[in-house]
Amino acid sequence: MGKQRTVTCLCAVVALTGLTVQIPWAQQKAPEPPGPAVDSPAQHAAEKRSKGQRSDTDSNVPSPSEYQFSEALRKLQSEDVARPSRSKVSVPPLVAVPIPPQGPQSKDVPKNYVPKKDVALSSTGIEAVSVSREWQEAQNTPAPGKDGRVLYVYGAGMPVVVCSPLRICVVELEAGEKLVGEPHVGDSVRWEISPASAGNGESAMPLIVIKPTAAGLDTTMMVPTDRRAYYFRLQSKPDEYLARVAFSYPENQEQQWKLFQREQDAAREKKQEPANTKVLPDAVEIVYWDYAIKGGDPTLRPSRVLDDGTKTYIQMPPVTGKTEAPVLVIQGVDGGELVNYRVKGDIYVVDRLFNRAALIVGTGKRARKVEIIRKVPIGAEKQNHKDHKGKDKEERAGQDGGL
């Protein structure tokens, strides 16, 4: 075995140096004629070794002294054999080749056109991105709500909705709000978005049901409604999720306070109204009643019209308060003149007198009109009063003289 290993190693060395060594095989014995049968080749070789003879297998392996390896070893040890240095080998650097766009291109686009993957922002664009990032990263602190809701303040910052696969996240909008379009999601493939509602009629609450298909997702979503636009950041975790998300609306609170203030002012005015001076005058002798009313329908015709010598009072039927308020036009010297009036219950108070006026609702051919005519023109009733007083004196004088 030792001889076989030595020969194998030497043969490898010879092969590396490229030398050709002639191996003398003259001493190899010719095969002997077959003799008598032996039990086995191994026993036959052992018998020959015991007698000091070479076996058939030993005769095939030449002695190491028969090879001339000195020249081969000298060449291996010589410095003339130069090996290539790895440090001198230069590898060209990799050059990024732009990937051509996939899909059909317009005829107006050049064939060699490669779209840019990034653009340089101007100072305006950089500032705009900074402002948007501040709003996105602003701390919109959530608060606990009823029935497990997580409340965000609308407009205070971007709300974050955390969902989980095989779980449902529900976003509740304001009651009575209406969706005007489908939600827009940045990753519409791995996020499932569907609408729902709670309640009936005008007070129904719109719901947005969100389900991610995998964990580790991060995208944004916009939901348009008839009142506002909601912008969310959606993130998915393996086990953590928000079951219900809702909003509080500061502008609604402000409107509620204004409505409450108006109701309080109206109630206060209603209480103070009986304490003020009465709408209609008390002195019957100064009231003028003789007005003619022409045209119109029962919803527009006044119940009565009178004046106290300074103001004119037009009493309207109760149904007029439920319809469109009419316009008062007074006929003056230069034609029609619009006049303002105050409403006290069912009475229109006009701060002047007139001989002819009209109450008008609508415009054009569909306009409805009621005419109000003072039978005795302004100032003529005083002359009539003087004439009546003179006639009364003459009648009394005639009666005294007769007596």
Side-chain angles (χ1 to χ4, degrees):
M1 293 297 291
K3 293 180 180 181
Q4 293 179 0
R5 290 179 181 176
T6 304
V7 172
T8 303
C9 294
L10 292 174
C11 291
V13 172
V14 172
L16 291 174
T17 56
L19 299 178
T20 302
V21 181
Q22 296 181 357
I23 303 174
W25 298 99
Q27 297 180 0
Q28 183 177 0
K29 293 183 178 181
E32 296 180 358
V38 188
D39 295 340
S40 65
Q43 293 179 357
H44 182 71
E47 290 178 358
K48 285 187 175 184
R49 290 191 188 95
S50 62
K51 295 178 181 181
Q53 301 177 359
R54 285 186 176 182
S55 62
D56 296 337
T57 57
D58 295 341
S59 62
N60 294 331
V61 181
S63 174
S65 60
E66 299 176 0
Y67 296 95
Q68 301 297 328
F69 292 106
S70 58
E71 184 67 18
L73 292 175
R74 186 182 64 80
K75 290 184 177 181
L76 288 176
Q77 295 175 357
S78 175
E79 295 181 356
D80 297 337
V81 181
R83 296 182 180 181
S85 177
R86 295 184 180 180
S87 60
K88 296 182 180 180
V89 178
S90 61
V91 180
L94 295 177
V95 179
V97 179
I99 301 175
Q102 299 179 357
Q105 293 185 354
S106 174
K107 296 180 180 179
D108 299 333
V109 179
K111 293 183 179 180
N112 298 329
Y113 172 74
V114 179
K116 295 181 179 180
K117 294 185 179 180
D118 198 0
V119 294
L121 295 178
S122 63
S123 58
T124 303
I126 295 174
E127 186 66 22
V129 170
S130 177
V131 173
S132 179
R133 185 182 295 111
E134 289 180 2
W135 178 80
Q136 296 176 26
E137 298 176 356
Q139 185 175 2
N140 191 350
T141 305
K146 295 181 180 179
D147 302 330
R149 294 180 177 89
V150 176
L151 291 178
Y152 284 105
V153 178
Y154 177 79
M158 180 184 292
V160 179
V161 181
V162 182
C163 300
S164 176
L166 304 180
R167 298 289 187 271
I168 291 178
C169 293
V170 179
V171 176
E172 302 178 3
L173 307 183
E174 188 179 17
E177 201 167 7
K178 301 293 188 301
L179 296 174
V180 296
E182 296 182 0
H184 300 271
V185 189
D187 185 358
S188 60
V189 176
R190 296 179 293 178
W191 289 86
E192 298 178 4
I193 312 297
S194 57
S197 61
N200 298 318
E202 296 296 329
S203 61
M205 176 187 296
L207 307 176
I208 306 296
V209 182
I210 305 173
K211 293 186 294 182
T213 59
L217 306 179
D218 192 348
T219 187
T220 54
M221 178 180 68
M222 191 275 290
V223 180
T225 70
D226 59 345
R227 300 180 183 177
R228 52 185 68 90
Y230 295 84
Y231 203 79
F232 301 89
R233 181 175 182 178
L234 305 181
Q235 293 180 324
S236 62
K237 300 284 288 182
D239 300 316
E240 302 170 356
Y241 69 100
L242 307 180
R244 305 176 69 178
V245 176
F247 289 88
S248 61
Y249 305 94
E251 68 272 14
N252 288 1
Q253 298 177 2
E254 183 178 357
Q255 293 177 1
Q256 291 175 359
W257 277 110
K258 290 182 178 179
L259 179 60
F260 175 77
Q261 187 65 33
R262 286 196 298 266
E263 292 176 352
Q264 293 294 316
D265 295 341
R268 191 179 301 106
E269 291 178 0
K270 189 174 182 180
K271 290 181 180 179
Q272 294 176 355
E273 186 174 346
N276 297 336
T277 57
K278 294 182 179 181
V279 178
L280 296 176
D282 293 333
V284 179
E285 63 274 7
I286 64 173
V287 176
Y288 179 83
W289 302 82
D290 202 2
Y291 281 88
I293 300 173
K294 298 181 180 181
D297 53 51
T299 63
L300 190 59
R301 287 177 60 87
S303 302
R304 55 181 176 174
V305 181
L306 56 95
D307 68 74
D308 59 359
T310 304
K311 299 177 183 179
T312 304
Y313 304 89
I314 305 173
Q315 187 174 13
M316 303 297 293
V319 70
T320 306
K322 300 179 182 178
T323 59
E324 182 180 357
V327 176
L328 180 62
V329 179
I330 293 178
Q331 184 177 2
V333 178
D334 299 330
E337 179 183 353
L338 289 175
V339 178
N340 295 327
Y341 55 83
R342 301 190 309 274
V343 179
K344 298 291 186 180
D346 58 349
I347 298 177
Y348 294 173
V349 181
V350 185
D351 293 331
R352 58 174 293 183
L353 303 180
F354 55 82
N355 292 324
R356 197 180 187 93
L359 293 171
I360 303 174
V361 175
T363 58
K365 296 181 180 180
R366 297 184 179 181
R368 296 178 294 137
K369 182 174 66 173
V370 173
E371 293 187 17
I372 304 174
I373 304 171
R374 198 176 197 271
K375 293 183 178 181
V376 178
I378 300 171
E381 71 277 4
K382 295 182 179 180
Q383 185 64 35
N384 292 339
H385 182 65
K386 291 180 179 179
D387 294 341
H388 284 296
K389 287 179 69 177
K391 290 180 180 180
D392 292 340
K393 288 181 179 180
E394 292 177 356
E395 290 178 359
R396 284 197 299 269
Q399 292 176 359
D400 294 339
L403 293 175

